[in-house]
Amino acid sequence: MKNRGSEGRDNMERTKPNGPKSIDMKKKKKNMQRLGGAGLSLEAFANAKSTNSHYNPALIKKHREFYKNAKYVSKYKKSQKQQNQQGVIPSAKTTQEDDNEEKHCSKLDKRNKKKKKGSHGLKELYEKQQEEKEKARLEREAIIQAKKEERARAEAQRKAARENMLKRTRHGQPVMKYRIEHLLQSIQSSSGSSVNKNT
């Protein structure tokens, strides 16, 4: 009998669903599902940690120098082109420059004279434009000032009418004199406008 009882207890312990071992297994299964199955392999983990940040100061410096030099070269080419267009000979041709100094001086004098004549016309044009702008500005200011005065006048009239409409007698009743005057004025203005429309 003792043996049967002890065997029964062992069987009961084995069939218990909520034992400490089953809790650990549930946690492991949840963790595995959360990690996407069996988790990361050693190679995948190592590759994820060793991603290259692509930061190389020497390479960046090299790129900067390259673009800086390219900028200087383009500026130099532009200045050479402008000098050739203006008739100024580069410094490499100094022997020809000595021979043609007088020609260049006369050309430059002619250009300066043309510029002076043109600048005089431009100056007059500029002054005219400035005068027109000033006139337009003064007109705008006058219109704005007139609107402000009209607004202030209308505001004063509304304020006076409001004060009259809010006046009360000793007993707290509204003073009807001002209200009747207001009604009379509104009727006269509406009838006057309707008469004007009919004629």
Side-chain angles (χ1 to χ4, degrees):
M1 293 288 241
K2 290 181 183 177
N3 289 342
R4 286 182 188 169
S6 63
E7 286 178 16
R9 285 183 193 162
D10 290 338
N11 287 339
M12 286 178 71
E13 285 177 8
R14 287 181 193 162
T15 57
K16 276 187 180 177
N18 293 334
K21 291 180 182 177
S22 64
I23 292 173
D24 289 338
M25 291 300 286
K26 284 181 182 178
K27 285 183 181 178
K28 283 183 183 179
K29 283 183 182 178
K30 282 185 180 178
N31 285 340
M32 294 290 271
Q33 288 175 349
R34 184 174 54 84
L35 291 173
L40 291 175
S41 66
L42 186 60
E43 285 181 30
F45 180 75
N47 289 337
K49 286 291 184 180
S50 66
T51 55
N52 192 359
S53 65
H54 304 292
Y55 177 72
N56 188 350
L59 192 62
I60 292 170
K61 187 177 179 183
K62 192 174 181 182
H63 282 291
R64 278 187 189 158
E65 287 179 11
F66 174 76
Y67 287 116
K68 199 175 185 182
N69 290 337
K71 189 167 69 172
Y72 289 143
V73 168
S74 66
K75 281 185 180 179
Y76 175 74
K77 286 182 180 178
K78 282 182 185 177
S79 66
Q80 287 293 331
K81 202 177 211 181
Q82 286 177 353
Q83 285 178 355
N84 288 337
Q85 287 177 353
Q86 291 177 354
V88 177
I89 299 171
S91 60
K93 301 178 181 178
T94 54
T95 56
Q96 292 177 357
E97 188 175 318
D98 294 335
D99 296 335
N100 298 326
E101 270 185 40
E102 292 176 7
K103 292 180 183 178
H104 290 295
C105 289
S106 63
K107 286 181 184 177
L108 291 174
D109 289 338
K110 287 179 184 177
R111 285 184 188 162
N112 288 338
K113 286 180 183 177
K114 286 181 183 177
K115 284 183 183 177
K116 284 180 183 177
K117 288 179 184 176
S119 66
H120 184 65
L122 289 174
K123 197 171 188 180
E124 289 176 358
L125 183 65
Y126 176 75
E127 288 175 359
K128 284 181 182 178
Q129 286 178 348
Q130 290 300 320
E131 288 175 7
E132 289 173 3
K133 285 181 183 178
E134 186 67 24
K135 285 180 184 177
R137 187 182 63 82
L138 291 173
E139 287 175 4
R140 271 186 269 126
E141 286 180 359
I143 291 168
I144 290 169
Q145 186 66 27
K147 284 183 180 178
K148 280 183 182 178
E149 289 173 1
E150 184 65 32
R151 211 176 288 134
R153 202 176 306 121
E155 184 69 30
Q157 286 176 353
R158 279 197 300 271
K159 195 173 185 182
R162 186 170 181 269
E163 285 178 9
N164 287 337
M165 296 296 270
L166 292 175
K167 284 187 177 178
R168 302 281 174 170
T169 62
R170 284 185 293 179
H171 304 291
Q173 299 298 319
V175 178
M176 294 305 291
K177 179 173 101 173
Y178 301 111
R179 291 178 182 245
I180 291 171
E181 283 178 5
H182 176 68
L183 288 171
L184 182 65
Q185 286 175 357
S186 62
I187 291 169
Q188 284 175 350
S189 64
S190 65
S191 65
S193 63
S194 65
V195 169
N196 291 339
K197 287 180 183 177
N198 292 335
T199 58

